[in-house]
Amino acid sequence: MPEEEGGSSLLHVSISAEPLFTIGPLTVTNSMVGAVLASAILLFLTWVFLRRPQLVPGRIQSLIEWPIEWVAGIVQGSTSRWKGYVALVTGLFLMILVANWIGLLPGVGTVGIIAEEHGEEVLTPFVRAAGADLNFTLGLAIVSFVVFVWWGIRANGVGGYLLELVGEPRYMAPLMFPIHLISELSRLVSLSMRLFGNVFAGEVLIGTMLALTTAALFVLPLAFFVPAVFLGLELLFGAVQALVFALLTMTYITMAIAEHQGGHDEHDGDASAHHAEPTEPATA
């Protein structure tokens, strides 16, 4: 943490989002500001895209379309019902990606209000990366959890979904049901904690690099080169974490559907192969 004269600490990284102001019972934190900014950027890009869409896209339209088409292409190969959840997976990817990259903009995490805590001057940033707040990642994980459970119930029915949790053999239900239930709930925890942990670790890393750079300003080449390297890595890690969250959501939905369709797909495949055998000589 960089320190000013007198030993008062300014820049610090808090594991929880810092409150900025309150609106009635609602406390607005700096991570909420980051999430709102990410939403505003996505809405603006949507407006730009829909204002004058072209059959032969220009540079801006191609730049907007490329990540959407790329993620949609991945989802398309998952199941035959991919159209039902491609919008969710793509939306999660774009939201997390923009929210992560906002944390790397100049001024984010370094411009804010200076307050005194425990005899030290502490900076409370106006904007913070939304993914560095567990409330944000948990909210996204809850959305993913509800959706893939809904797909499991839609594919299997309520009774079928519960039977999947019971597992085989049925006489082991008293033992296996709690295990399967905990396994199902662990997806909610892993989705939220993985994203939060990686984004928060990146925030700590950037803060540490800024502190070291401030202390070594007299070495000008290092003062510019070192932060640029770590910011480039964080750009990559932010994209990877967004993709991992989105693809895990897709995988959980695919598993919920496949548990129901597996037997039917195998039966249908055998039937179609059996039906195709006598027709090959005729077509030849």
Side-chain angles (χ1 to χ4, degrees):
M1 294 184 295
E3 296 186 356
E4 289 191 342
E5 295 182 4
S8 60
S9 174
L10 283 177
L11 185 61
H12 78 297
V13 179
S14 172
I15 197 170
S16 60
E18 296 95 340
L20 297 177
F21 56 89
T22 58
I23 303 176
L26 176 64
T27 300
V28 178
T29 64
N30 48 14
S31 64
M32 292 172 63
V33 175
V36 170
L37 283 178
S39 301
I41 291 173
L42 289 174
L43 288 174
F44 174 74
L45 293 176
T46 303
W47 175 77
V48 171
F49 177 78
L50 296 177
R51 188 165 58 98
R52 291 180 181 177
Q54 300 175 356
L55 292 177
V56 181
R59 292 181 180 179
I60 297 179
Q61 184 174 336
S62 298
L63 185 63
I64 298 174
E65 287 181 350
W66 178 77
I68 299 174
E69 292 178 350
W70 180 58
V71 176
I74 297 175
V75 178
Q76 187 175 0
S78 57
T79 68
S80 59
R81 301 186 182 186
W82 65 275
K83 292 183 180 179
Y85 52 87
V86 63
L88 172 69
V89 175
T90 306
L92 287 173
F93 171 74
L94 294 176
M95 181 63 187
I96 297 172
L97 177 68
V98 175
N100 288 347
W101 282 358
I102 280 179
L104 305 178
L105 294 177
V108 176
T110 58
V111 177
I113 304 171
I114 298 177
E116 187 171 338
E117 294 183 5
H118 307 292
E120 293 185 344
E121 289 184 342
V122 176
L123 175 69
T124 300
F126 291 128
V127 184
R128 183 180 181 181
D133 184 2
L134 185 57
N135 294 305
F136 175 78
T137 61
L138 182 59
L140 295 181
I142 290 174
V143 172
S144 299
F145 181 81
V146 170
V147 170
F148 69 70
V149 168
W150 177 80
W151 271 103
I153 294 175
R154 179 180 177 181
N156 300 329
V158 177
Y161 179 75
L162 292 177
L163 287 178
E164 290 292 339
L165 291 180
V166 170
E168 294 286 351
R170 300 296 184 221
Y171 64 83
M172 295 291 292
L175 175 63
M176 300 306 298
F177 180 78
I179 295 176
H180 289 165
L181 183 61
I182 292 173
S183 175
E184 199 82 352
L185 293 175
S186 68
R187 298 176 181 179
L188 177 64
V189 178
S190 64
L191 279 174
S192 59
M193 293 301 296
R194 179 184 291 106
L195 180 59
F196 165 72
N198 283 279
V199 176
F200 180 75
E203 191 177 64
V204 173
L205 178 63
I206 293 298
T208 303
M209 289 301 105
L210 289 175
L212 293 176
T213 302
T214 303
L217 278 178
F218 59 91
V219 188
L220 289 181
L222 292 178
F224 290 98
F225 176 73
V226 174
V229 171
F230 282 94
L231 286 174
L233 289 175
E234 284 303 315
L235 281 174
L236 176 62
F237 292 157
V240 169
Q241 290 306 315
L243 184 61
V244 167
F245 192 101
L247 293 186
L248 281 176
T249 300
M250 181 198 73
T251 302
Y252 293 152
I253 296 173
T254 302
M255 291 171 60
I257 296 174
E259 287 171 353
H260 171 67
Q261 290 185 335
H264 294 285
D265 289 344
E266 184 179 354
H267 176 74
D268 293 342
D270 293 342
S272 61
H274 179 73
H275 181 267
E277 289 177 0
T279 60
E280 289 180 357
T283 54

